[in-house]
Amino acid sequence: GSGPLVEQLAVIRPVVGAFDRLDCIYRSDRQLALVGNVGKAAVSLTVVASPTSGSTLRVDVVSSARRWQANFDDTALAQPTEIITYDCNGAHTRPLLYANGRRAIWMQLHTGITERAKVTYSLEQLATDIEIAQQALTGGIRSITDSSSRL
């Protein structure tokens, strides 16, 4: 299904914004690979269907000066989200985050409702990400345009 790709898009969209371009470079029954860019940052999204239960998500955001790598593991209850940045001074591990993405989104929605705070991932962006994932999975087009900047 489109779930794993939508999760990747949802994780990186608040960081990078709208994609300038995404191209599907590989598609099979069990794998999907997209590459694209946001300004000068290159983005690569890969989905691999695993025969085991549970899921993990690894996100890499790369630019000429910096690389961010985040690893989310839903298979272990006490496994933290690990975020590492790489720059000219080497690797830097961010403080470990013990809330998975789903919990973080629910906490953000709760804060948005109770404190009227801004939610960084909107329903319009979710709709755009679902549309992008469906386009990538159906194979109807090779190049995908992100319409979220027009929303």
Side-chain angles (χ1 to χ4, degrees):
S2 62
L5 182 56
V6 172
E7 286 182 8
Q8 286 187 55
L9 293 166
V11 166
I12 64 172
R13 182 172 299 284
V15 176
V16 300
F19 300 98
D20 296 331
R21 182 181 178 104
L22 278 176
D23 293 311
C24 184
I25 59 170
Y26 183 79
R27 181 184 301 106
S28 73
D29 291 341
R30 300 183 52 82
Q31 298 176 342
L32 177 68
L34 301 172
V35 295
N37 66 297
V38 178
K40 294 181 181 180
V43 178
S44 173
L45 305 170
T46 306
V47 175
V48 178
S50 172
T52 62
S53 63
S55 64
T56 59
L57 172 62
R58 177 177 158 177
V59 177
D60 290 287
V61 179
V62 181
S63 72
S64 60
R66 187 173 303 141
R67 175 180 169 201
W68 287 72
Q69 182 182 69
N71 293 304
F72 305 84
D73 187 355
D74 283 348
T75 61
L77 294 177
Q79 179 70 28
T81 297
E82 180 182 42
I83 301 173
I84 303 170
T85 58
Y86 301 89
D87 60 21
C88 63
N89 296 315
H92 312 279
T93 302
R94 310 280 289 187
L96 297 177
L97 178 63
Y98 282 87
N100 65 22
R102 289 179 187 92
R103 178 173 164 77
I105 290 297
W106 280 113
M107 290 182 339
Q108 190 180 85
L109 285 172
H110 178 267
T111 302
I113 293 169
T114 60
E115 299 176 17
R116 296 185 181 177
K118 182 178 179 183
V119 177
T120 60
Y121 188 71
S122 69
L123 291 176
E124 291 86 4
Q125 290 170 323
L126 174 61
T128 297
D129 290 345
I130 290 171
E131 181 181 344
I132 288 171
Q134 288 173 342
Q135 289 176 16
L137 291 171
T138 60
I141 57 173
R142 180 171 163 78
S143 182
I144 301 164
T145 303
D146 185 347
S147 61
S148 65
S149 60
R150 294 188 303 253
L151 295 176

